[in-house]
Amino acid sequence: MEKIVDARGLTCPQPVIKAKEALKGMEKGLLKVLVDNEIAVQNVMKLGNYEGVSPVSEKKAEGEFEILFHVNRESGDTEETVKEEECLPDARKKGLVAVLSSDQMGGGNEELGRILMKGFVYALTQLEELPETVLLYNGGARLSVEASQSLEDLKNLEAQGVEILTCGTCLNYYELSNKLKVGSVTNMYEIAEKMAGARLVIRP
């Protein structure tokens, strides 16, 4: 028996609710859950672990993930252990703003600088307390557009509620206005406002 739940485009807690409904009364078989962001993957995986069905996730393409539940249990084994509204907690730190003004980190070798910046953006996704906002301007605008090596990490942050703002003037200057793939366009007034109101600003 195989079931497929297409939860792409749905916000928390809908992917968890749909997966939980599909698991009800299912004793043997394969449940395949399709989602479109990392946070949905983590929430659905958490459900699978609670239900004891050993979930396995796989990234199929950009913005396309598949979670497999191999179900093999006796009737009556299912426990109502997960609340339908349960999602990952908000990990954002109020007033923490990350400013990315270049697609490179530090001076010196440009290739090394890009490698370091990619690592820095990934490291942001792993912090216990995420930034509330990420501001991208000048060369940093290249990080939020098509083909950026940091695009998936920025999407991961956005999926967790982090505000991603890219300077519109910068996108226009680099002729990237139609290639923005995460977050939204902002202006210098809002950038100044966000930085002035921040409790802590971090810059790589």
Side-chain angles (χ1 to χ4, degrees):
M1 178 182 180
E2 179 177 326
K3 292 183 181 180
I4 298 177
V5 172
D6 190 347
R8 290 173 293 186
L10 301 180
T11 57
C12 181
Q14 290 302 314
V16 173
I17 292 173
K18 286 187 170 292
K20 186 177 180 181
E21 288 175 347
L23 279 172
K24 285 182 180 177
M26 190 174 179
E27 296 179 17
K28 294 183 184 294
L30 177 68
L31 173 61
K32 184 183 297 184
V33 183
L34 309 178
V35 296
D36 59 10
N37 65 81
E38 293 276 4
I39 299 307
V41 171
Q42 293 178 47
N43 283 323
V44 174
M45 289 283 286
K46 183 168 65 173
L47 168 69
N49 287 324
Y50 273 123
E51 295 282 353
V53 292
S54 303
V56 177
S57 67
E58 181 181 357
K59 181 177 179 180
K60 308 297 288 187
E62 183 178 330
E64 187 176 333
F65 303 85
E66 182 178 276
I67 305 109
L68 301 178
F69 292 171
H70 295 277
V71 183
N72 184 13
R73 56 192 179 189
E74 298 298 325
S75 179
D77 284 351
T78 303
E79 297 181 5
E80 296 294 323
T81 54
V82 180
K83 296 180 180 179
E84 290 187 344
E85 70 274 11
E86 184 171 10
C87 292
L88 291 177
D90 187 350
R92 293 171 296 172
K93 182 176 182 179
K94 186 74 172 178
L96 177 61
V97 175
V99 175
L100 307 180
S101 59
S102 174
D103 61 347
Q104 302 172 41
M105 185 175 182
N109 185 276
E110 291 185 4
E111 182 180 358
L112 175 59
R114 291 190 178 93
I115 292 171
L116 294 175
M117 180 58 79
K118 182 179 184 299
F120 178 82
V121 177
Y122 170 75
L124 287 179
T125 69
Q126 303 302 303
L127 295 176
E128 289 187 10
E129 292 185 313
L130 302 177
E132 185 176 21
T133 303
V134 175
L135 300 174
L136 304 102
Y137 57 80
N138 207 328
R142 298 191 184 99
L143 298 172
S144 57
V145 301
E146 183 180 301
S148 164
Q149 292 187 341
S150 294
L151 191 57
E152 283 302 312
D153 291 326
L154 289 172
K155 286 183 175 180
N156 186 344
L157 288 170
E158 184 179 45
Q160 297 183 73
V162 177
E163 185 179 37
I164 311 294
L165 299 175
T166 303
C167 166
T169 300
C170 307
L171 290 170
N172 288 334
Y173 182 86
Y174 291 118
E175 299 182 350
L176 296 170
S177 297
N178 62 342
K179 294 187 177 181
L180 185 67
K181 294 297 181 183
V182 61
S184 57
V185 175
T186 189
N187 54 69
M188 196 50 64
Y189 178 82
E190 186 176 18
I191 289 174
E193 189 176 49
K194 294 287 185 182
M195 293 176 69
R199 294 182 181 177
L200 177 64
V201 174
I202 55 175
R203 303 169 182 262

